[in-house]
Amino acid sequence: MENTEPKKFSIQKEIVGGLTTFVTMSYIMFVNPSILGDAGVPFNQVFMATIIATVVGTLVMGLYAKYPIAIAPGMGMNAYFAYSIVSADKGLDYKTAFATVFVAGLLFVILSLTPLRKKLIEAIPSSLKYAITAGIGLFIAFIGMRLSGLIQAHESNFVALGDLHSPSVILTMIGLLVTLILYTLRVPGSIFIGMVITGIIAYFTGQLKFEGFVSVPQMPELMITNPIASFGDIVSHGLYAAVFSFLLITLFDTTGTVLGLAKQADLMEGDHLPRSERALFSDAIGTLVGSIFGTSPTSAYIESSSGIAAGARTGIAAVVVALLFALSAFFSPLVGAVSNVAAITAPALIIVGSLMISQVRFLKWDNFAESFPAFLVILTMPLTSSIATGMALGFIFYPIMKLVAREGKEVHPLIYVFGFLFLLQLVFFPH
């Protein structure tokens, strides 16, 4: 029988750990509405969807998987939804686009309940996993700089430095500097605190205006995506790559994050994580519920490490996080005002991007057959503003490079299948 007894348990530490995790990751309430708002999703819709998806996913993680890990809409995937799926297809509205999130979530639920999830994770080369994370990091950092005006469009060079004298850019640089100092000093919740300080400066310089702070939560539109029509929407708009991208990213991103956090909390049994399928299921449910109400896929949050460092070891900490997010639903006017000022949220995007690109240190740069496909992924994601395109090129070139290097036997058969499918997608369904 599986041992589910908590290790180093203390109710006080669980509460403190949950509070610490909440403060550290609470920036998502401000950033997610800001990004998805560019896709046309109404603020109240995405704000409440963010709260609901986070509460549901984190509660399932705490009560069912019993781990001190929080679930919330993932950074990078929200940008992919807004700028690569909706904005790239002028005939696609955000409600139809949420069909990709719903189907990916449904497939993720199915995978989390079957042994196939393990085979799929093992099939994907580590170099591509690291590259995808790093590429997404560059992508969201680029978005943060662009939205704040730190960089801007240029006629001949495509991208150039923005106007350093503009109030938005000055505020962004101040916010970035303040947050970097806090983060370097390892202040808990540094990204959130940095946003608070930047917001105060924005308020006194007239860039931030409030029309209230507290209000009764308004339930978002239910069933923003029609589950029955979702599959038809994907076929009619050729959104296969988007579904596949969401599925793969959530699958191995959550798996990698959960394993890393479990090791930190000393919850592993050798190389095995008890109840790992429950942890994946928690994320899958969060994604599925979020798609119905109007937000991008959820993911396990690495910021949970701050709560673990504070002593969290059980699902009680996750329950505390969920309850605090539920209470945050009463502060929509405050969140709405802050999310409308790009200079406040941009530093968070830039810093999170820098943390994600650190994965490049694990790449085998001396093995060209491994490093070049990874390089393509990292390079093309921000340049094409498409996570799917970067993934496609990586999966296409990886097996080709391995075959040329006479290392084709090292490639899992599924990768050849993925490469072929991505090639068909780029040729016939470019997005």
Side-chain angles (χ1 to χ4, degrees), residues 322-373:
L323 292 176
L324 290 172
F325 265 96
L327 288 175
S328 300
F330 291 90
F331 295 90
S332 61
L334 171 63
V335 176
V338 171
S339 63
N340 283 329
V341 181
I344 298 177
T345 55
L349 292 172
I350 297 169
I351 292 174
V352 171
S354 73
L355 298 176
M356 294 177 73
I357 199 176
S358 65
Q359 294 291 309
V360 297
R361 71 185 186 276
F362 298 119
L363 292 172
K364 300 177 181 177
W365 292 107
D366 56 344
N367 185 335
F368 197 61
E370 292 273 347
S371 63
F372 184 75

Coordinates of all heavy atoms in Angstrom, one line a residue, residues 322-373:
A322 N -5.0 28.2 -2.8 CA -6.3 28.2 -3.5 C -7.3 29.2 -2.8 O -8.0 30.0 -3.4 CB -6.9 26.8 -3.6
L323 N -7.3 29.1 -1.5 CA -8.2 30.0 -0.7 C -7.9 31.5 -0.9 O -8.7 32.3 -1.0 CB -8.2 29.6 0.8 CG -8.8 28.2 1.1 CD1 -8.6 27.9 2.6 CD2 -10.3 28.2 0.7
L324 N -6.6 31.7 -0.9 CA -6.1 33.1 -1.1 C -6.4 33.7 -2.5 O -6.8 34.8 -2.6 CB -4.6 33.2 -0.8 CG -4.2 33.0 0.7 CD1 -2.7 32.9 0.8 CD2 -4.7 34.2 1.6
F325 N -6.3 32.8 -3.5 CA -6.7 33.2 -4.8 C -8.2 33.5 -4.9 O -8.7 34.4 -5.6 CB -6.3 32.2 -5.8 CG -5.0 32.5 -6.5 CD1 -3.8 31.9 -6.0 CD2 -4.9 33.3 -7.5 CE1 -2.6 32.1 -6.6 CE2 -3.6 33.6 -8.1 CZ -2.5 33.0 -7.6
A326 N -9.0 32.6 -4.2 CA -10.4 32.8 -4.2 C -10.8 34.2 -3.5 O -11.7 34.9 -4.0 CB -11.1 31.7 -3.4
L327 N -10.1 34.5 -2.5 CA -10.4 35.9 -1.9 C -10.0 37.0 -2.8 O -10.6 38.1 -2.7 CB -9.5 36.0 -0.5 CG -10.0 35.1 0.6 CD1 -9.0 35.2 1.8 CD2 -11.4 35.5 1.1
S328 N -9.0 36.7 -3.6 CA -8.5 37.8 -4.6 C -9.6 38.2 -5.6 O -9.5 39.2 -6.2 CB -7.3 37.3 -5.3 OG -6.2 37.0 -4.4
A329 N -10.6 37.3 -5.8 CA -11.7 37.6 -6.7 C -12.4 38.9 -6.3 O -13.0 39.5 -7.2 CB -12.6 36.4 -6.8
F330 N -12.3 39.3 -5.1 CA -13.0 40.5 -4.6 C -12.2 41.8 -5.0 O -12.7 42.9 -4.7 CB -13.2 40.5 -3.1 CG -14.2 39.4 -2.7 CD1 -13.8 38.1 -2.4 CD2 -15.6 39.7 -2.6 CE1 -14.7 37.2 -2.0 CE2 -16.5 38.8 -2.3 CZ -16.1 37.5 -2.0
F331 N -11.0 41.7 -5.6 CA -10.2 42.8 -5.9 C -10.0 43.1 -7.4 O -9.0 43.6 -7.8 CB -8.8 42.7 -5.2 CG -8.9 42.6 -3.7 CD1 -9.0 41.4 -3.0 CD2 -8.8 43.8 -3.0 CE1 -9.1 41.4 -1.6 CE2 -8.9 43.8 -1.6 CZ -9.0 42.6 -0.9
S332 N -11.0 42.8 -8.2 CA -11.0 42.9 -9.6 C -10.7 44.4 -10.1 O -10.0 44.6 -11.0 CB -12.2 42.3 -10.3 OG -13.4 43.0 -9.9
P333 N -11.3 45.4 -9.4 CA -11.0 46.8 -9.9 C -9.5 47.1 -9.8 O -8.9 47.8 -10.6 CB -11.9 47.6 -8.9 CG -13.0 46.7 -8.5 CD -12.3 45.4 -8.4
L334 N -8.9 46.7 -8.7 CA -7.5 46.9 -8.4 C -6.7 46.2 -9.5 O -5.8 46.8 -10.1 CB -7.1 46.4 -7.1 CG -5.6 46.4 -6.7 CD1 -5.0 47.8 -6.8 CD2 -5.3 45.8 -5.4
V335 N -6.9 44.9 -9.7 CA -6.2 44.1 -10.7 C -6.4 44.7 -12.1 O -5.5 44.8 -12.9 CB -6.6 42.7 -10.7 CG1 -5.9 41.9 -11.7 CG2 -6.3 42.1 -9.3
G336 N -7.6 45.1 -12.4 CA -7.9 45.6 -13.7 C -7.1 46.9 -14.0 O -6.6 47.1 -15.1
A337 N -7.0 47.8 -13.0 CA -6.3 49.0 -13.2 C -4.8 48.8 -13.5 O -4.2 49.3 -14.4 CB -6.5 49.9 -12.0
V338 N -4.2 47.8 -12.7 CA -2.8 47.5 -12.8 C -2.5 46.8 -14.1 O -1.5 47.2 -14.8 CB -2.4 46.7 -11.6 CG1 -0.9 46.1 -11.8 CG2 -2.5 47.4 -10.3
S339 N -3.3 45.9 -14.5 CA -3.1 45.1 -15.7 C -3.1 46.0 -17.0 O -2.6 45.6 -18.0 CB -4.0 43.9 -15.8 OG -5.4 44.4 -16.0
N340 N -3.8 47.1 -16.9 CA -3.9 48.0 -18.1 C -2.6 48.9 -18.3 O -2.5 49.6 -19.3 CB -5.1 48.9 -17.9 CG -6.4 48.2 -18.3 OD1 -6.4 47.3 -19.1 ND2 -7.5 48.6 -17.7
V341 N -1.7 48.9 -17.3 CA -0.4 49.6 -17.4 C 0.7 48.6 -17.7 O 1.2 48.0 -16.8 CB -0.2 50.4 -16.1 CG1 1.1 51.2 -16.3 CG2 -1.3 51.3 -15.8
A342 N 1.1 48.6 -19.0 CA 2.1 47.6 -19.4 C 3.4 47.7 -18.6 O 4.1 46.7 -18.4 CB 2.3 47.7 -20.9
A343 N 3.8 48.9 -18.2 CA 5.0 49.1 -17.6 C 5.1 48.4 -16.2 O 6.2 48.1 -15.7 CB 5.3 50.6 -17.4
I344 N 3.9 48.1 -15.6 CA 3.9 47.5 -14.3 C 4.1 46.0 -14.5 O 4.8 45.3 -13.7 CB 2.6 47.8 -13.6 CG1 2.4 49.2 -13.3 CG2 2.5 47.0 -12.3 CD1 1.1 49.6 -12.7
T345 N 3.5 45.4 -15.5 CA 3.6 43.9 -15.7 C 4.8 43.5 -16.6 O 5.2 42.4 -16.5 CB 2.3 43.4 -16.4 OG1 2.1 44.2 -17.6 CG2 1.1 43.6 -15.5
A346 N 5.3 44.4 -17.4 CA 6.5 44.1 -18.3 C 7.7 43.5 -17.5 O 8.3 42.6 -18.0 CB 6.8 45.3 -19.1
P347 N 8.1 44.2 -16.4 CA 9.3 43.6 -15.7 C 9.1 42.1 -15.3 O 10.1 41.4 -15.3 CB 9.4 44.5 -14.5 CG 8.8 45.8 -14.9 CD 7.7 45.4 -15.8
A348 N 7.9 41.8 -14.9 CA 7.6 40.4 -14.6 C 7.8 39.5 -15.8 O 8.5 38.4 -15.6 CB 6.2 40.2 -14.0
L349 N 7.4 39.9 -16.9 CA 7.6 39.1 -18.1 C 9.0 38.9 -18.5 O 9.5 37.8 -18.8 CB 6.8 39.7 -19.3 CG 5.3 39.7 -19.3 CD1 4.7 40.6 -20.4 CD2 4.7 38.3 -19.3
I350 N 9.8 40.0 -18.4 CA 11.2 40.0 -18.7 C 12.0 39.1 -17.8 O 12.8 38.3 -18.2 CB 11.8 41.4 -18.7 CG1 11.1 42.3 -19.8 CG2 13.3 41.4 -19.0 CD1 11.4 43.8 -19.7
I351 N 11.7 39.2 -16.5 CA 12.5 38.4 -15.5 C 12.1 36.9 -15.6 O 13.0 36.1 -15.5 CB 12.2 39.0 -14.1 CG1 12.9 40.4 -14.0 CG2 12.8 38.0 -13.0 CD1 12.6 41.1 -12.7
V352 N 10.8 36.6 -15.7 CA 10.4 35.2 -15.8 C 11.0 34.6 -17.1 O 11.5 33.5 -17.1 CB 8.9 35.1 -15.9 CG1 8.5 33.7 -16.2 CG2 8.3 35.5 -14.5
G353 N 11.1 35.5 -18.2 CA 11.7 35.0 -19.4 C 13.2 34.7 -19.2 O 13.7 33.6 -19.7
S354 N 13.9 35.5 -18.4 CA 15.3 35.2 -18.2 C 15.5 33.9 -17.4 O 16.5 33.2 -17.6 CB 15.9 36.4 -17.4 OG 15.5 36.4 -16.1
L355 N 14.6 33.7 -16.5 CA 14.6 32.4 -15.7 C 14.4 31.2 -16.5 O 15.1 30.2 -16.4 CB 13.6 32.5 -14.5 CG 13.8 33.6 -13.5 CD1 12.7 33.6 -12.5 CD2 15.1 33.4 -12.8
M356 N 13.5 31.3 -17.5 CA 13.2 30.2 -18.4 C 14.3 29.9 -19.4 O 14.6 28.7 -19.7 CB 11.9 30.5 -19.1 CG 10.7 30.5 -18.3 SD 9.1 31.0 -19.1 CE 8.8 29.4 -20.0
I357 N 15.0 30.9 -19.8 CA 16.1 30.7 -20.8 C 17.3 30.1 -20.2 O 18.2 29.6 -20.9 CB 16.4 32.0 -21.6 CG1 17.2 31.7 -22.9 CG2 17.3 32.9 -20.7 CD1 17.5 32.9 -23.7
S358 N 17.4 30.1 -18.9 CA 18.5 29.5 -18.2 C 18.6 28.0 -18.5 O 19.7 27.3 -18.2 CB 18.4 29.7 -16.7 OG 17.3 29.0 -16.1
Q359 N 17.6 27.4 -19.0 CA 17.6 26.0 -19.4 C 18.7 25.6 -20.4 O 19.0 24.5 -20.6 CB 16.2 25.5 -19.9 CG 15.1 25.6 -18.9 CD 15.3 24.5 -17.8 OE1 15.4 23.4 -18.1 NE2 15.2 25.0 -16.6
V360 N 19.1 26.6 -21.2 CA 20.1 26.4 -22.2 C 21.4 25.8 -21.6 O 22.2 25.2 -22.4 CB 20.5 27.7 -23.0 CG1 19.2 28.2 -23.7 CG2 21.0 28.8 -22.1
R361 N 21.6 26.0 -20.3 CA 22.9 25.4 -19.7 C 22.9 23.9 -19.7 O 24.0 23.3 -19.6 CB 23.0 26.0 -18.3 CG 22.0 25.4 -17.3 CD 22.2 26.1 -15.9 NE 21.4 25.5 -14.9 CZ 20.1 25.8 -14.6 NH1 19.5 26.7 -15.4 NH2 19.5 25.3 -13.6
F362 N 21.8 23.3 -19.9 CA 21.7 21.8 -19.9 C 21.9 21.2 -21.3 O 22.0 20.0 -21.5 CB 20.4 21.3 -19.4 CG 20.1 21.7 -18.0 CD1 19.0 22.5 -17.6 CD2 21.0 21.3 -17.0 CE1 18.8 22.9 -16.3 CE2 20.8 21.7 -15.6 CZ 19.7 22.5 -15.3
L363 N 21.9 22.1 -22.4 CA 22.1 21.6 -23.7 C 23.5 21.1 -24.0 O 24.5 21.7 -23.5 CB 21.7 22.7 -24.7 CG 20.2 23.1 -24.8 CD1 20.0 24.3 -25.7 CD2 19.4 22.0 -25.3
K364 N 23.6 20.1 -24.8 CA 24.9 19.6 -25.2 C 25.4 20.3 -26.5 O 25.2 19.9 -27.6 CB 24.8 18.1 -25.5 CG 24.3 17.2 -24.3 CD 24.1 15.8 -24.7 CE 23.6 14.9 -23.6 NZ 23.4 13.5 -24.0
W365 N 26.0 21.5 -26.2 CA 26.4 22.3 -27.3 C 27.5 21.7 -28.2 O 27.7 22.1 -29.3 CB 26.9 23.7 -26.8 CG 25.7 24.5 -26.2 CD1 25.5 24.7 -24.9 CD2 24.7 25.1 -26.9 NE1 24.3 25.5 -24.7 CE2 23.8 25.7 -26.0 CE3 24.3 25.2 -28.3 CZ2 22.7 26.4 -26.3 CZ3 23.2 25.9 -28.6 CH2 22.4 26.5 -27.7
D366 N 28.3 20.8 -27.6 CA 29.4 20.1 -28.4 C 28.8 19.0 -29.3 O 29.6 18.5 -30.1 CB 30.4 19.6 -27.4 CG 29.9 18.6 -26.4 OD1 28.6 18.6 -26.2 OD2 30.6 17.9 -25.8
N367 N 27.6 18.7 -29.2 CA 26.9 17.7 -30.1 C 26.0 18.5 -31.0 O 24.9 18.8 -30.7 CB 26.1 16.7 -29.3 CG 25.6 15.6 -30.1 OD1 25.4 15.7 -31.3 ND2 25.3 14.4 -29.5
F368 N 26.5 18.7 -32.3 CA 25.8 19.5 -33.2 C 24.4 19.0 -33.6 O 23.5 19.7 -33.8 CB 26.6 19.7 -34.5 CG 26.2 20.9 -35.3 CD1 26.2 22.2 -34.8 CD2 25.7 20.7 -36.6 CE1 25.7 23.3 -35.6 CE2 25.3 21.7 -37.4 CZ 25.3 23.0 -36.9
A369 N 24.3 17.6 -33.6 CA 23.0 17.0 -34.0 C 22.0 17.3 -32.9 O 20.8 17.3 -33.2 CB 23.2 15.5 -34.2
E370 N 22.4 17.5 -31.7 CA 21.5 17.9 -30.6 C 21.3 19.4 -30.5 O 20.2 19.8 -30.2 CB 22.1 17.3 -29.3 CG 22.2 15.8 -29.1 CD 20.9 15.3 -28.6 OE1 20.0 16.0 -28.1 OE2 20.7 14.0 -28.7
S371 N 22.4 20.1 -30.7 CA 22.3 21.6 -30.4 C 21.7 22.4 -31.5 O 21.0 23.4 -31.2 CB 23.7 22.1 -30.1 OG 24.5 22.0 -31.3
F372 N 21.8 22.0 -32.8 CA 21.3 22.8 -33.8 C 19.7 22.8 -33.8 O 19.1 23.9 -34.0 CB 21.8 22.4 -35.2 CG 21.3 23.3 -36.3 CD1 21.9 24.5 -36.5 CD2 20.3 22.9 -37.1 CE1 21.4 25.4 -37.5 CE2 19.8 23.7 -38.1 CZ 20.3 25.0 -38.3
P373 N 19.1 21.7 -33.7 CA 17.6 21.7 -33.6 C 17.1 22.5 -32.4 O 16.1 23.3 -32.5 CB 17.2 20.2 -33.5 CG 18.3 19.5 -34.1 CD 19.6 20.3 -33.7

